[in-house]
């Protein structure tokens, strides 16, 4: 096993603007780190740079204590699993898993032992003598993983390995990949554009956008305390609601004013971080909204637009002036809503996020990471975050 250190990694193709713009990142030994971001953000380029499939324009890359900028991919002691399974169609599953070891002239008894161990781990024992065309997509992806496992590398690299699978198989494979990491306890760097995959798999998530590293932290840290509007909007499903607003004061209290009808009182820890009349972007997660009932004050008045019923819960799209506002509410409580109906919602003060209207950098978050475990996670990430370049 080995950790990785990236110092000022830049990747430029010809005279074009850099694809990677000075990435600083420490990946811990045995960590499951997920690189996530929209298409074109640089996450796959960064992974290929780590693999040695792309040269580094500037900066330094270390695997363990070894600088590997100029080390050939085959000598970096890494294994990569791609989006396409890249299996040999004429070879059995056993040969597909073992072929790389055969090329390295490893003794047959060692190869057999490693293949048996990997196939047992991945549930492939009964398929070893079959051809790839006889397996499902999920089984083929497990074969590709088995081919990587038998190499016993220091680092595993996964490049969107679940993109070609249907929703049910993606869920199953997420569980299997997480279970595999627990068994191997090897460093894994995993690229995806799917933030649900990122949240469910990662020890830590690195969010990229436009070639910059926006934030690194645990899934819960990024969800509760995003450093800027981009991270807040990208992490979490459904996405956070954003509303242009202003800060106002009244009766020794501070509020975030949305329009003539709607304002939300700020908690004391947030009120001290903003000034009266300051322009802000208000962020509210759909899951944090509740109906104004049982004595709760309605601090947000909206009109029903579209209701999506998803079993126990419903995604209710409301109109708030010219904006669409989404809330996740209990399905039974909204079943009687009519189109255009005015509804009173309650947004708790500890559920709001405020971002600077110009820079989009986070000003304050109503919620906090309270548990000792997440306090330790934050402290461990502090040094990493100090080196993060934000756009």
């Amino acid at each position: 096993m080995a950790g990785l250190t990236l110092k000022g990694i830049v990747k430029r193709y010809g005279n074009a603007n850099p694809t990677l713009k000075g990435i600083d990142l420490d990946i811990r030994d045995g960590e499951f780190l997920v690189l996530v971001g929209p298409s074109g953000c640089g996450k796959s380029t960064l992974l290929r740079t780590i693999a040695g499939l792309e040269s580094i324009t500037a900066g330094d890359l270390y695997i363990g204590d070894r600088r590997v900028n100029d080390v050939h991919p085959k000598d970096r002691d890494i294994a990569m699993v791609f989006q396409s399974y890249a299996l040999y169609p004429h070879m059995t599953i056993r040969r597909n898993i073992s072929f790389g070891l055969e090329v390295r002239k490893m003794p047959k008894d060692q190869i057999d032992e490693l293949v048996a161990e990997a196939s047992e781990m991945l549930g492939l024992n009964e398929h070893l003598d079959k051809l790839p065309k006889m397996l499902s997509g999920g089984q083929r992806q497990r074969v590709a993983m088995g081919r990587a496992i038998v190499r016993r590398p220091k680092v595993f690299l996964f490049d969107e390995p679940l993109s070609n699978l249907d929703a049910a198989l993606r869920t199953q494979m997420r569980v299997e990949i997480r279970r595999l990491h627990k068994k191997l306890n090897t460093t894994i760097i995993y690229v995806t554009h799917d933030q649900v995959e990122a949240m469910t798999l990662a020890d830590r998530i690195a969010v990229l956008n436009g070639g910059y590293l926006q934030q690194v932290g645990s899934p819960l840290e990024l969800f509760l305390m995003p450093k800027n509007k981009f991270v807040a909007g990208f992490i979490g499903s459904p996405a956070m609601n954003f509303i242009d607003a202003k800060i106002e004061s009244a009766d020794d209290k501070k509020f975030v004013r949305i329009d003539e009808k709607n304002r939300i009182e700020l908690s004391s820890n947030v009120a001290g971080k903003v000034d009266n009349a300051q322009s802000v972007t208000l962020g509210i997660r759909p899951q944090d909204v509740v109906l104004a009932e049982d004595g709760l004050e309605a601090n947000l008045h909206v009109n029903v637009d579209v209701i999506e019923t998803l079993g126990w819960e419903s995604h209710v799209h409301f109109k708030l002036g010219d904006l669409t506002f989404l809330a996740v509410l209990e399905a039974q409580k909204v079943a009687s809503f009519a189109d255009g109906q005015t509804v009173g919602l309650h947004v708790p003060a500890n559920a709001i996020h405020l971002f600077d209207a110009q820079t989009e950098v986070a000003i304050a978050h109503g919620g906090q990471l309270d548990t000792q475990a997440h306090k330790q996670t934050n402290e461990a990430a502090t040094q990493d975050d100090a080196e993060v370049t934000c756009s």
Side-chain angles (χ1 to χ4, degrees):
M1 296 187 295
L4 292 89
T5 301
L6 288 71
K7 297 182 177 180
I9 298 296
V10 174
K11 176 59 183 177
R12 184 194 304 271
Y13 296 95
N15 295 321
N17 289 329
T19 303
L20 300 175
K21 302 172 182 178
I23 303 296
D24 293 311
L25 180 63
D26 286 322
I27 303 168
R28 301 163 192 154
D29 188 8
E31 181 175 32
F32 198 129
L33 181 96
V34 175
L35 301 174
V36 69
S39 297
C41 71
K43 57 187 184 295
S44 289
T45 300
L46 182 58
L47 195 76
R48 291 173 63 83
T49 298
I50 294 170
L53 302 177
E54 299 282 358
S55 61
I56 295 174
T57 305
D60 295 301
L61 171 63
Y62 292 85
I63 298 179
D65 296 327
R66 182 189 184 197
R67 185 178 181 274
V68 297
N69 287 44
D70 302 316
V71 175
H72 194 278
K74 69 181 180 63
D75 298 321
R76 295 191 181 195
D77 201 7
I78 60 174
M80 195 162 183
V81 179
F82 296 93
Q83 178 178 345
S84 60
Y85 319 126
L87 303 180
Y88 296 107
H90 62 288
M91 291 184 182
T92 64
I93 300 310
R94 187 189 308 275
R95 286 290 314 282
N96 265 283
I97 296 174
S98 67
F99 186 69
L101 304 181
E102 295 172 13
V103 171
R104 289 173 174 79
K105 308 295 184 182
M106 182 177 287
K108 186 177 185 306
D109 58 338
Q110 292 185 30
I111 292 176
D112 291 343
E113 182 180 345
L114 289 170
V115 171
E117 181 181 345
S119 61
E120 176 70 26
M121 189 182 300
L122 296 168
L124 292 171
N125 282 342
E126 62 186 76
H127 305 295
L128 288 176
D129 296 319
K130 296 178 181 179
L131 295 174
K133 67 181 180 181
M134 302 168 70
L135 304 186
S136 68
Q139 290 168 335
R140 293 182 201 179
Q141 192 58 272
R142 286 202 294 270
V143 175
M145 290 164 57
R147 183 175 54 196
I149 289 170
V150 295
R151 291 185 51 196
R152 300 288 181 88
K154 290 181 178 178
V155 181
F156 286 101
L157 305 179
F158 287 80
D159 190 7
E160 304 201 42
L162 308 186
S163 297
N164 291 334
L165 305 181
D166 62 36
L169 271 177
R170 284 201 301 272
T171 301
Q172 177 187 341
M173 288 300 297
R174 284 203 307 265
V175 175
E176 293 186 9
I177 290 173
R178 191 61 175 149
R179 186 180 294 127
L180 178 66
H181 179 247
K182 289 182 179 180
K183 289 181 179 179
L184 297 175
N185 196 29
T186 304
T187 307
I188 292 179
I189 305 172
Y190 186 106
V191 162
T192 181
H193 65 275
D194 185 340
Q195 57 89 25
V196 174
E197 279 183 32
M199 294 286 285
T200 54
L201 286 172
D203 294 327
R204 287 192 305 156
I205 299 172
V207 183
L208 287 89
N209 187 39
Y212 290 102
L213 193 55
Q214 302 287 319
Q215 187 173 357
V216 183
S218 70
L220 190 56
E221 180 185 355
L222 268 60
F223 185 80
L224 292 178
M225 305 186 74
K227 286 194 169 184
N228 56 44
K229 182 180 175 182
F230 175 81
V231 175
F234 195 85
I235 297 295
S237 180
M240 182 182 286
N241 297 290
F242 293 111
I243 306 168
D244 292 333
K246 278 188 176 293
I247 303 301
E248 70 175 24
S249 299
D251 301 324
D252 295 324
K253 298 178 181 178
K254 283 185 180 177
F255 302 82
V256 56
R257 169 68 71 178
I258 299 170
D259 55 29
E260 291 183 1
K261 294 182 179 179
N262 297 297
R263 71 176 187 177
I264 302 171
E265 184 178 349
L266 299 178
S267 61
S268 57
N269 68 304
V270 173
K273 298 177 181 179
V274 290
D275 299 320
N276 192 37
Q278 181 178 351
S279 295
V280 296
T281 298
L282 169 65
I284 303 172
R285 293 205 179 276
Q287 300 91 338
D288 290 331
V289 181
V290 295
L291 292 173
E293 56 185 7
D294 300 328
L296 289 176
E297 174 194 3
N299 53 16
L300 201 61
H301 300 84
V302 291
N303 298 314
V304 177
D305 186 20
V306 175
I307 300 176
E308 299 176 291
T309 302
L310 303 172
W312 182 87
E313 68 182 26
S314 289
H315 290 188
V316 186
H317 300 261
F318 295 101
K319 285 294 185 183
L320 177 58
D322 295 330
L323 300 175
T324 297
F325 183 90
L326 177 62
V328 177
L329 301 170
E330 188 176 339
Q332 290 186 345
K333 291 187 177 182
V334 304
S336 61
F337 283 2
D339 287 350
Q341 176 182 341
T342 299
V343 175
L345 302 176
H346 177 76
V347 180
N350 65 359
I352 71 169
H353 304 259
L354 296 181
F355 304 91
D356 185 276
Q358 281 72 46
T359 67
E360 300 188 350
V361 172
I363 299 171
H365 307 286
Q368 299 293 330
L369 290 172
D370 295 324
T371 68
Q372 182 64 22
H374 283 100
K375 180 181 178 182
Q376 292 171 351
T377 298
N378 284 344
E379 290 173 349
T382 299
Q383 183 174 358
D384 299 327
D385 290 341
E387 298 180 349
V388 169
T389 302
C390 292
S391 62

